[in-house]
Amino acid sequence: MGLDKSYVDRVSFKKDLFKGKVVFVTGGAGTICRVQTEALVLLGADAAIIGRNPEKTETAAKEIGQLRNGAKVIGIGGTDVRNVKSLKEAVDRTVQELGKIDFVIAGAAGNFICDINSLSSNAFKSVIDIDLLGSYNTVKACYEQLVKNKGAVIFVSATLHYYGVPFQVHVGAAKAGIDALSQTLAVELGPLGVRSNIIAPGIVGDTEGFKRLRMGSTLEEITKRIPLQRAATTEDIANATVFLFSPAGNYITGDIMVVDGGQWHIGTGMSASGYPDMVKKRSLGPSKL
């Protein structure tokens, strides 16, 4: 569920915290990244949201732009994060229409349930290309703006690679790579004034990703295995985003902010139910190359 104007009154952040700032968001029409963008816009930022589907992306941009009087939000569809030239075109348009880029959220991602025996090499590569290569390409395309404006990057990762999660070998590998990418950029770009951090959400309720990945478990069953006894909301992720981009986060770089209610400390809440029978059932059969 998205945010509305009451967010400004509900949170501890200043109303015009990001006045004059511009954020560039890949995957900005998706559930989590859209709400991240909404929070920043409500707190004064202008935004460009980037996606593959022109209609979905442009519609989301118009809706986000209505959250604050005077907000400028553009939707740039038809952009493939796997193609750095496509992203560079989106960056050029953003700078032309909004003036600059201060913040970058690399959130474009792909995921599905599949065991390694059934996962083709092409399918594995596809997720690596969207998640990891796409994240690299996003920073590459935004590099000049980030350095010029001493900006900050947030990569949307996950906790899947902190422990073994069945049927997520493709995504776990991609997210581990994103974590390494961010940490390297923090060291490499820090002297240039650019910060790079990770937000690693746990289970975010009422999202398309949760519906695909819960593997038969109900939300109630899963939340019982989360120390804080609830799934994350998209607003939880948005609040972490605001903090890291705000002046309060100015000395934080190369960090991973896990927003999962403590779940990763006790293992996966999605795949624990029915293990190991579900693994045996799904992993037998002819291998897909």
Side-chain angles (χ1 to χ4, degrees):
M1 185 175 179
L3 301 179
D4 57 34
K5 294 179 180 179
S6 68
Y7 175 78
V8 178
D9 299 321
R10 192 168 61 250
V11 297
S12 303
F13 307 110
K14 295 179 180 178
K15 181 178 180 181
D16 294 322
L17 181 63
F18 298 119
K19 185 176 182 180
K21 300 294 187 181
V22 175
V23 60
F24 181 93
V25 187
T26 64
T31 310
I32 292 175
C33 292
R34 171 168 175 160
V35 177
Q36 289 176 293
T37 308
E38 289 174 346
L40 297 172
V41 169
L42 282 164
L43 294 172
D46 293 327
I49 62 172
I50 316 304
R52 294 194 69 181
N53 185 312
E55 182 179 359
K56 180 180 179 180
T57 304
E58 291 165 14
T59 298
K62 290 178 182 178
E63 293 172 351
I64 295 170
Q66 294 171 0
L67 290 174
R68 176 174 58 81
N69 292 335
K72 296 179 181 179
V73 181
I74 61 174
I76 306 177
T79 303
D80 187 348
V81 297
R82 297 170 294 184
N83 185 326
V84 70
K85 291 182 178 179
S86 180
L87 275 167
K88 185 61 169 61
E89 291 173 0
V91 167
D92 291 344
R93 180 179 163 189
T94 300
V95 174
Q96 181 181 6
E97 296 191 28
L98 301 182
K100 60 176 180 171
I101 296 172
D102 299 284
F103 304 135
V104 172
I105 297 175
N111 196 359
F112 49 88
I113 294 292
C114 195
D115 62 279
I116 189 171
N117 192 46
S118 303
L119 184 70
S120 69
S121 294
N122 187 59
F124 181 87
K125 181 178 183 298
S126 179
V127 171
I128 295 293
D129 285 351
I130 295 171
D131 289 38
L132 179 53
L133 178 62
S135 295
Y136 173 83
N137 285 342
T138 300
V139 174
K140 188 75 172 176
C142 294
Y143 178 84
E144 291 182 4
Q145 284 294 307
L146 285 167
V147 172
K148 180 180 179 180
N149 299 308
K150 296 188 183 301
V153 182
I154 290 175
F155 297 93
V156 180
S157 186
T159 61
L160 299 168
H161 51 292
Y162 299 175
Y163 42 77
V165 178
F167 318 134
Q168 292 285 274
V169 64
H170 44 326
V171 185
K175 297 304 188 183
I178 290 173
D179 288 5
L181 171 65
S182 177
Q183 290 164 1
T184 300
L185 290 176
V187 175
E188 187 172 317
L189 302 185
L192 304 179
V194 178
R195 295 186 299 114
S196 176
N197 288 294
I198 294 279
I199 290 178
I203 295 168
V204 182
D206 197 28
T207 62
E208 187 61 34
F210 169 73
K211 293 175 184 176
R212 289 200 308 268
L213 302 176
R214 61 192 180 93
M215 294 189 288
S217 297
T218 65
L219 182 58
E220 182 180 6
E221 289 170 337
I222 291 171
T223 54
K224 285 180 180 178
R225 297 190 290 270
I226 298 175
L228 290 185
Q229 297 292 285
R230 68 173 178 88
T233 66
T234 50
E235 186 172 325
D236 290 323
I237 312 305
N239 288 338
T241 305
V242 171
F243 169 72
L244 286 174
F245 280 152
S246 77
N250 274 350
Y251 202 58
I252 300 174
T253 193
D255 202 5
I256 299 174
M257 181 175 286
V258 178
V259 187
D260 76 339
Q263 180 191 347
W264 84 267
H265 291 289
I266 59 172
T268 175
M270 286 192 180
S271 62
S273 179
Y275 182 87
D277 290 342
M278 65 175 183
V279 175
K280 294 178 179 178
K281 181 177 180 180
R282 297 181 71 105
S283 297
L284 296 176
S287 180
K288 189 173 183 180
L289 300 179

